[in-house]
Amino acid sequence: DIQMTQSPSSLSASVGDRVTITCRASQGITNYLAWYQQKSGKVPQLLIYDASTLQPGVPSRFSGSGSGTDFTLTISSLHPEDVATYYCQKYNSDPFTFGPGTKVNIK
Amino acid sequence: EVHLLESGGTLVQPGGSLRVSCAASGFTFSSYAMSWVRQAPGQGPEWVSVISGRGDTTYYAGSVKGRFTISRDNSKNTLYLQMNSLRAEDTAVYYCAKWDYNGLGYIDDWGHGTLVTVSA
């Protein structure tokens, strides 16, 4: 099975900072990658699919890039409401594995 | 508006069985693949299983294969997960999740979950 890793596992940044999270697949998954945001006590929410397509309603400060094995989620200017854990998920084939998550806090 | 309402979570003993359900509304249920995703306390989401819109194709995570069975009743707009031979490590919130329209595999709607606790 393809393994998903994320880095860093956690980060602290200031409001307005540019934040980048990396997701890596152990084998190529073309662009079949989604990003989700999960705030404390809440249900995960889809941010990005197909590696770079923004889900309707998601703020434009979120963007995704990458293909093959290496992907990034970027928050261009961190807002206080972006405090959350971010997960990537592969969906090229079964099993549809999630990454371990990156926790984002405000410094 | 999509609405997914899980039910059936409870405390069950190791080795026991349980069926959880998900009542769906706000979309054409039979047109969408549906998944169960679980999240243990303090952990990230773990994909458990998926079933096609017609119910004729299913996949399972290795951790539950042979013990869990996903099914659906399109006449009742309801998704099920039958869980047998439950273990302590199956303790989690179980989310019902709707796949994207094209059936690629990302999840664009989630229920609020039902808690399954496996403990003596």
Side-chain angles (χ1 to χ4, degrees), chain A residues 32 34 36 38 42-46 49-50 55 87 89 91 94-98 100, chain B residues 37 39 43-47 50 59-61 95 99 104-108 110-112:
Chain A
Y32 293 111
Y36 301 87
Q38 187 175 30
K42 302 295 186 182
V43 174
Q45 297 292 323
L46 178 66
Y49 61 93
D50 292 348
Q55 174 73 352
Y87 298 97
Q89 183 214 6
Y91 53 92
D94 143 77
F96 304 96
T97 310
F98 288 85
Chain B
V37 177
Q39 191 165 25
Q43 302 300 308
E46 178 189 10
W47 173 78
V50 61
Y59 294 102
Y60 297 91
Y95 294 105
W99 273 29
L104 295 177
Y106 60 88
I107 294 167
D108 59 10
W110 301 66
H112 282 82

Side-chain angles (χ1 to χ4, degrees), chain A residues 8-31:
Chain A
S9 57
S10 66
L11 67 89
S12 290
S14 300
V15 172
D17 281 355
R18 183 181 184 88
V19 170
T20 299
I21 298 168
T22 297
C23 175
R24 180 163 291 167
S26 60
Q27 297 174 41
I29 58 171
T30 59
N31 68 330

Side-chain angles (χ1 to χ4, degrees), chain B:
Chain B
E1 182 186 358
V2 171
H3 194 54
L4 302 169
L5 182 63
E6 302 92 338
S7 61
T10 190
L11 173 65
V12 61
Q13 292 191 336
S17 297
L18 185 68
R19 189 179 80 162
V20 293
S21 303
C22 169
S25 60
F27 63 104
T28 304
F29 183 67
S30 60
S31 295
Y32 291 81
M34 298 291 295
S35 266
W36 287 99
V37 177
R38 68 185 181 183
Q39 191 165 25
Q43 302 300 308
E46 178 189 10
W47 173 78
V48 172
S49 184
V50 61
I51 186 168
S52 62
R54 291 183 300 187
D56 54 356
T57 302
T58 59
Y59 294 102
Y60 297 91
S63 57
V64 307
K65 198 172 293 184
R67 300 188 298 124
F68 289 12
T69 303
I70 191 171
S71 63
R72 64 192 298 160
D73 185 338
N74 286 344
S75 69
K76 296 182 178 179
N77 287 353
T78 303
L79 177 72
Y80 303 100
L81 185 67
Q82 176 69 43
M83 301 180 285
N84 298 331
S85 302
L86 282 161
R87 308 165 180 167
E89 54 265 35
D90 295 318
T91 294
V93 174
Y94 284 73
Y95 294 105
C96 169
K98 172 183 156 291
W99 273 29
D100 64 285
Y101 179 75
N102 293 313
L104 295 177
Y106 60 88
I107 294 167
D108 59 10
D109 282 288
W110 301 66
H112 282 82
T114 188
L115 177 62
V116 174
T117 303
V118 184
S119 175

